[in-house]
Amino acid sequence: MTQELVKLRPGQQKILRYHAGKMGVSAVPGSGKTWTLSYLAAKLIREGAIDIDQEILIVTLVNAAVDNFSIRISTQLRASNLLPGFGYRVRTLHGLANDIVRERPDLAGLGTSYQIIDDVEANRIKQRIARDWLKSHIDFFEPFLDYQEYQKERIYEGKGNLPALVESISTAFIRLAKDRQLTPRKLREKLEDSHINLPLVEMGTQIYSEYQDALNYRGSVDFDDLIRLALRCLRSDPSLVEILQKRWPYILEDEAQDSSLLQQEILSMLAGENGNWVRVGDPNQAIYETFTTASPQFLLDFLKREDVEERSLPESGRSTMTIMDLANHLINWTQHEHPNPEARCALNPPLIKPTPQGDPQPNPDDCPACVRLIEEPLSPEQEIRYVATAVESFLADHPDKTIAILSPRNTRGFKFVDELKKRKIPTVDSLLQSTSATRLSTGALANILNYLSDPESSYKLSQAYKVWRRNERSDEEVWPFYKTIAGMIRSVDHIEDFLWPNTSGDWLEDLDIEGQDIEIIEELTTFREVVRRWQNTVFLPIDQLILSVSQDLFLDPAELALAHKLSTLLRQFSDAHPDWRLPEFTAELTNIAKNQRKYLGFSQEDEAFDPDLYPGRVVVATMHKAKGLEWDCVFLTSVNNYNFPSGEDFDQFQSEKWFIKDHLNMEAEIISQLKTLMEGNPFDWYQPGQASLEARNEFVRERLRLLFVGITRARKWLTITWNSGRTSNRNFPARALIELINYQEKKP
């Protein structure tokens, strides 16, 4: 595939002229930034920009994007008669950090057998420590609380109140401390030398110290540790930096609007002062600041540097002109007229432009009537019924189109799912939780491994048999036969006599059965051959074992693809834990099957999802999970001033708890105290409440970007609704929604 055969947009043409140096790219939604970055990587390889022992390093946000980049680059290289899979490496930041630490774990203070715990396990540890700390410091929060005496038990014992708040603010503290390269020991030393009263920092340091002790006891690091330890390795050994710079002479960074300070520092060191570094992102789609230490400001500052070539991808073929006009007006209004001046930097140019004539992805035909912004007040229940009715009507007229209902939170999304299922409307909720298919397929493999790790258990072999025949469970006529077989297997005293009989006895030959004896014998004989194959795989590497067993379990291509992903994941665990055996791998599969683990590639954030595979079915998702996706028809829901505040006096803020005095955001307050400790500037010392006001403004900015993301998910049909909340006198349509309604009404 040569460049002459590809129809490039003007913005893409400018970017693909890149040969070396630093370049920053602002890319609007639907502009094809992943394709452009993949094409650039393949172009550099085709042109011989790297040596045979070098790679182009592509860094992206989530594991699904890793797969996407790898497939696109391989396809382009194959089309040029080049060997796919060589000359590039695609990593998430955590994957890259792990690669760096594995190079020299001694520089990170780790042994070669360290393990990485996922967020679920890390949060479980922090939750236990935080709640134990609260029990032993029962009066600590009294100066911050505002409640009636009858509410005390509810505040202190309710899981969603003070116990959860302690966990939340300690998590925010630990995350920032690690981002600033602060160990518990450093913090204690600072506190001892400080003459400032910082009680929240003292609390955070105690919980942080216990948390790190718990990780050390397990020989583990968490995801935040990986990033800071990778940077420590690079700072500790200039020769390691030189090795990696030579290995990766080009760095292409995707989703750069979600970079953290540490990510920027790591990539900056790898690129070097005069190195080759391309950063691509959309600051208008930075919607994760509330949950991470990321900030779009890092990309915005990078774009302004004198040594950076600034480019943009402003053309998008995703949406109709009416929808693009709506998104562009939101940018302009935010910049110039938002009632809160602190929010006016939330959205920035470039504005979205339609694709040029002859583009391979032309914009859909414009349809102003397809965009509906609902001004009328609806209760939460009325909004659900209104949207469900509108969905029914849309699917009746457009059964072949894709459609999504997007809500601000998972809990609200599940209410839409319940209503749709009541109406028997085909629904997909895998972006709210891991898919049932994933859990069932993973559970099937876990059951087989569970037997293979205990091959003398007749009960586990019986369970393995039911898994093997699980597709017959829905057939009420034949399933009793298979249940009978499972019961017979469970009754075997010595499994060896069934699977590997010798001259002393053959359980199968000794069976005393009548009637269906031939069918039963044939079924048991067939299963015995299958189990023998499984047992012969136990000495293979875990990934090969999984793939071998999967051939007997799965026929569906999606299940086989899942088995491949699971085999890759378990191989990674095997490399990280050479001492692991089948019981440990079984436990990991079981955790995935129970939806308890947030593994890259198997979590709601990272699992690859293609809306075009679900025409005629309603995808229900949060607006955060919808980023990077698109549908023909989108319903944005709950766009009120609670979910999308503007910072005006009547707005409520989700992070401000009802039982905390003066509407303090305790996460913001503990971070402010930590910054005061580290900066030590007496003219900028901690002032209670100031950080909470700043956090309000940041939340307003992020929610404007979230609304922008939601609008730009739609290709042709877009409906935006709002609800009055549980107390109808407190919630109103979001200020931004009112502005968009007024803008739409003024248009000719």
Side-chain angles (χ1 to χ4, degrees):
M1 182 187 296
T2 62
Q3 184 166 325
E4 289 72 23
L5 297 177
V6 178
K7 181 72 173 180
L8 298 175
R9 297 168 186 165
Q12 292 171 331
Q13 291 175 5
K14 293 179 181 179
I15 291 168
L16 292 172
R17 295 191 190 111
Y18 169 86
H19 292 288
K22 293 180 173 63
M23 182 168 68
V25 182
S26 297
V28 304
S31 60
K33 65 180 179 62
T34 301
W35 183 91
T36 304
L37 212 55
S38 301
Y39 194 94
L40 177 58
K43 173 179 172 288
L44 291 169
I45 295 171
R46 285 197 302 265
E47 293 177 349
I50 59 173
D51 294 333
I52 193 169
D53 60 342
Q54 294 179 318
E55 296 173 322
I56 292 173
L57 176 64
I58 299 101
V59 181
T60 188
L61 187 63
V62 296
N63 209 57
V66 172
D67 295 338
N68 197 4
F69 270 109
S70 297
I71 291 170
R72 287 173 184 253
I73 297 172
S74 294
T75 300
Q76 293 178 41
L77 292 178
R78 193 178 290 110
S80 300
N81 296 318
L82 294 174
L83 192 62
F86 292 90
Y88 61 93
R89 179 181 302 207
V90 190
R91 288 288 188 268
T92 63
L93 178 63
H94 293 110
L96 173 63
N98 191 39
D99 288 348
I100 295 170
V101 174
R102 290 288 176 197
E103 291 278 335
R104 290 291 305 277
D106 56 306
L107 295 177
L110 298 173
T112 56
S113 61
Y114 74 87
Q115 61 177 325
I116 305 165
I117 65 168
D118 67 7
D119 284 346
V120 172
E121 181 64 20
N123 289 338
R124 188 178 295 121
I125 295 170
K126 282 183 278 194
Q127 181 183 76
R128 175 185 58 78
I129 294 171
R131 297 193 177 191
D132 288 346
W133 184 92
L134 180 60
K135 289 178 182 177
S136 59
H137 298 77
I138 196 69
D139 296 325
F140 176 86
F141 277 93
E142 282 299 319
F144 299 97
L145 300 182
D146 181 14
Y147 63 91
Q148 302 297 321
E149 186 61 32
Y150 72 89
Q151 297 172 318
K152 184 170 185 177
E153 183 177 353
R154 175 187 171 193
I155 292 171
Y156 276 88
E157 301 298 330
K159 291 182 179 179
N161 293 324
L162 196 52
L165 181 61
V166 174
E167 180 188 351
S168 177
I169 62 179
S170 58
T171 295
F173 178 89
I174 292 170
R175 179 175 291 134
L176 181 62
K178 291 188 176 187
D179 195 60
R180 296 297 178 88
Q181 300 279 288
L182 299 171
T183 64
R185 180 178 177 179
K186 284 183 180 179
L187 286 168
R188 283 194 296 268
E189 291 173 353
K190 281 280 188 180
L191 281 169
E192 290 172 2
D193 294 339
S194 173
H195 302 290
I196 316 170
N197 181 31
L198 301 171
L200 292 175
V201 172
E202 293 175 1
M203 178 203 78
T205 301
Q206 292 172 20
I207 294 176
Y208 181 19
S209 181
E210 289 193 42
Y211 173 66
Q212 287 303 113
D213 287 344
L215 294 186
N216 293 337
Y217 176 78
R218 292 166 169 79
S220 303
V221 296
D222 64 15
F223 287 143
D224 292 325
D225 282 324
L226 267 183
I227 308 301
R228 70 178 182 86
L229 291 176
L231 186 56
R232 180 198 290 183
C233 291
L234 296 176
R235 287 174 174 173
S236 300
D237 187 356
S239 65
L240 174 61
V241 177
E242 291 179 10
I243 291 171
L244 297 179
Q245 285 178 343
K246 186 177 186 305
R247 182 183 303 168
W248 301 318
Y250 286 87
I251 298 174
L252 310 184
E253 180 187 3
D254 185 35
E255 303 288 3
Q257 78 278 352
D258 293 314
S259 292
S260 67
L261 178 62
L262 291 193
Q263 174 170 341
Q264 181 169 271
E265 288 189 35
I266 288 172
L267 297 184
S268 180
M269 290 188 72
L270 292 176
E273 185 176 350
N274 300 310
N276 308 310
W277 184 12
V278 178
R279 309 187 74 180
V280 181
D282 182 2
N284 293 342
Q285 296 190 72
I287 57 175
Y288 297 115
E289 286 186 275
T290 298
F291 312 109
T292 70
T293 55
S295 171
Q297 196 60 45
F298 297 125
L299 176 59
L300 291 170
D301 291 342
F302 182 83
L303 292 169
K304 297 174 184 176
R305 284 171 42 174
E306 291 184 1
D307 63 334
V308 172
E309 180 184 358
E310 185 178 358
R311 291 286 181 260
S312 66
L313 285 173
E315 303 100 352
S316 172
R318 173 180 294 170
S319 305
T320 63
M321 200 66 230
T322 296
I323 292 174
M324 289 191 295
D325 279 345
L326 205 64
N328 288 337
H329 181 71
L330 182 61
I331 294 175
N332 287 325
W333 172 78
T334 297
Q335 282 204 311
H336 303 292
E337 300 180 46
H338 196 286
N340 180 357
E342 296 295 328
R344 292 179 182 172
C345 61
L347 296 170
N348 297 277
L351 301 180
I352 308 173
K353 297 180 180 179
T355 54
Q357 188 173 4
D359 191 271
Q361 187 191 11
N363 297 89
D365 293 336
D366 199 23
C367 180
C370 297
V371 177
R372 303 183 64 225
L373 311 182
I374 308 303
E375 188 175 7
E376 294 77 26
L378 299 167
S379 70
E381 295 75 18
Q382 287 173 331
E383 182 186 35
I384 290 172
R385 293 194 295 270
Y386 176 91
V387 171
T389 299
V391 165
E392 279 184 310
S393 176
F394 179 84
L395 288 177
D397 295 333
H398 309 282
D400 59 334
K401 299 298 182 182
T402 58
I403 182 170
I405 298 174
L406 306 182
S407 68
R409 297 184 303 280
N410 276 324
T411 51
R412 184 69 176 161
F414 284 122
K415 293 183 183 298
F416 281 105
V417 171
D418 290 342
E419 180 66 22
L420 294 173
K421 288 184 176 178
K422 283 181 187 176
R423 301 183 184 213
K424 301 188 184 308
I425 298 174
T427 308
V428 179
D429 63 355
S430 57
L431 292 179
L432 296 175
Q433 59 184 359
S434 66
T435 64
S436 57
T438 295
R439 295 196 300 273
L440 290 173
S441 300
T442 307
L445 281 169
N447 270 290
I448 304 304
L449 261 64
N450 192 37
Y451 163 69
L452 293 176
S453 63
D454 186 11
E456 296 182 4
S457 170
S458 57
Y459 169 75
K460 292 180 180 179
L461 182 60
S462 172
Q463 293 298 108
Y465 171 78
K466 286 194 283 189
V467 165
W468 181 59
R469 287 301 192 192
R470 68 195 183 286
N471 293 332
E472 311 297 336
R473 188 182 295 270
S474 59
D475 191 329
E476 296 180 358
E477 292 186 7
V478 302
W479 183 243
F481 170 76
Y482 295 112
K483 284 183 66 177
T484 299
I485 299 292
M488 295 175 67
I489 294 172
R490 187 172 180 177
S491 69
V492 179
D493 291 330
H494 302 287
I495 289 298
E496 217 32 42
D497 292 341
F498 167 43
L499 296 178
W500 305 97
N502 53 37
T503 55
S504 61
D506 184 336
W507 175 81
L508 195 53
E509 289 186 356
D510 295 340
L511 278 179
D512 183 16
I513 53 178
E514 298 178 359
Q516 289 183 310
D517 54 341
I518 296 178
E519 191 174 353
I520 290 174
I521 294 295
E522 288 178 347
E523 176 71 8
L524 286 167
T525 301
T526 301
F527 181 59
R528 178 165 66 181
E529 293 305 312
V530 171
V531 177
R532 286 174 174 175
R533 283 201 301 273
W534 293 346
Q535 289 189 347
N536 286 331
T537 67
V538 296
F539 299 107
L540 296 173
I542 187 61
D543 55 330
Q544 294 180 34
L545 185 156
I546 291 293
L547 293 175
S548 297
V549 170
S550 298
Q551 298 303 312
D552 288 315
L553 284 184
F554 306 134
L555 295 175
D556 184 78
E559 288 185 313
L560 290 170
L562 173 64
H564 180 75
K565 292 184 74 174
L566 287 168
S567 71
T568 301
L569 177 68
L570 294 187
R571 180 55 184 263
Q572 292 171 358
F573 282 128
S574 177
D575 292 341
H577 308 285
D579 58 322
W580 276 21
R581 298 294 179 264
L582 283 179
E584 288 81 11
F585 294 119
T586 302
E588 294 304 322
L589 287 178
T590 301
N591 284 325
I592 296 172
K594 291 181 178 179
N595 203 25
Q596 292 177 345
R597 286 290 172 114
K598 179 186 171 185
Y599 286 122
L600 295 179
F602 296 93
S603 70
Q604 56 208 36
E605 290 87 352
D606 294 328
E607 190 172 357
F609 186 89
D610 184 358
D612 288 330
L613 296 178
Y614 303 96
R617 299 176 64 185
V618 185
V619 176
V620 183
T622 63
M623 296 178 193
H624 282 92
K625 301 302 189 307
K627 183 172 175 286
L629 306 177
E630 58 187 82
W631 291 267
D632 297 314
C633 176
V634 169
F635 287 83
L636 294 186
T637 64
S638 303
V639 185
N640 54 35
N641 65 309
Y642 177 68
N643 293 308
F644 297 87
S646 60
E648 296 172 270
D649 291 340
F650 49 79
D651 285 338
Q652 306 173 73
F653 287 82
Q654 299 172 15
S655 54
E656 298 173 7
K657 306 302 180 186
W658 61 271
F659 51 86
I660 297 293
K661 286 181 181 177
D662 303 322
H663 303 287
L664 292 181
N665 178 329
M666 296 303 291
E667 290 90 343
E669 296 298 318
I670 195 172
I671 287 173
S672 179
Q673 287 196 10
L674 176 56
K675 290 179 178 178
T676 295
L677 177 68
M678 296 313 301
E679 293 163 5
N681 184 352
F683 297 102
D684 193 29
W685 278 359
Y686 170 71
Q687 299 177 21
Q690 183 62 39
S692 295
L693 292 176
E694 293 172 0
R696 283 187 173 191
N697 290 328
E698 185 49 58
F699 187 74
V700 170
R701 291 191 287 267
E702 185 186 290
R703 287 299 160 131
L704 281 166
R705 294 192 289 266
L706 185 62
L707 181 58
F708 177 82
V709 167
I711 290 171
T712 55
R713 300 311 93 195
R715 292 171 178 156
K716 186 171 184 177
W717 290 269
L718 173 67
T719 299
I720 305 180
T721 62
W722 67 282
N723 66 66
S724 57
R726 288 177 293 180
T727 54
S728 57
N729 62 332
R730 299 290 298 276
N731 284 358
F732 309 95
R735 183 66 184 82
L737 175 56
I738 295 173
E739 174 58 31
L740 294 178
I741 291 171
N742 292 337
Y743 172 73
Q744 189 184 50
E745 290 176 347
K746 291 176 185 176
K747 291 185 67 175

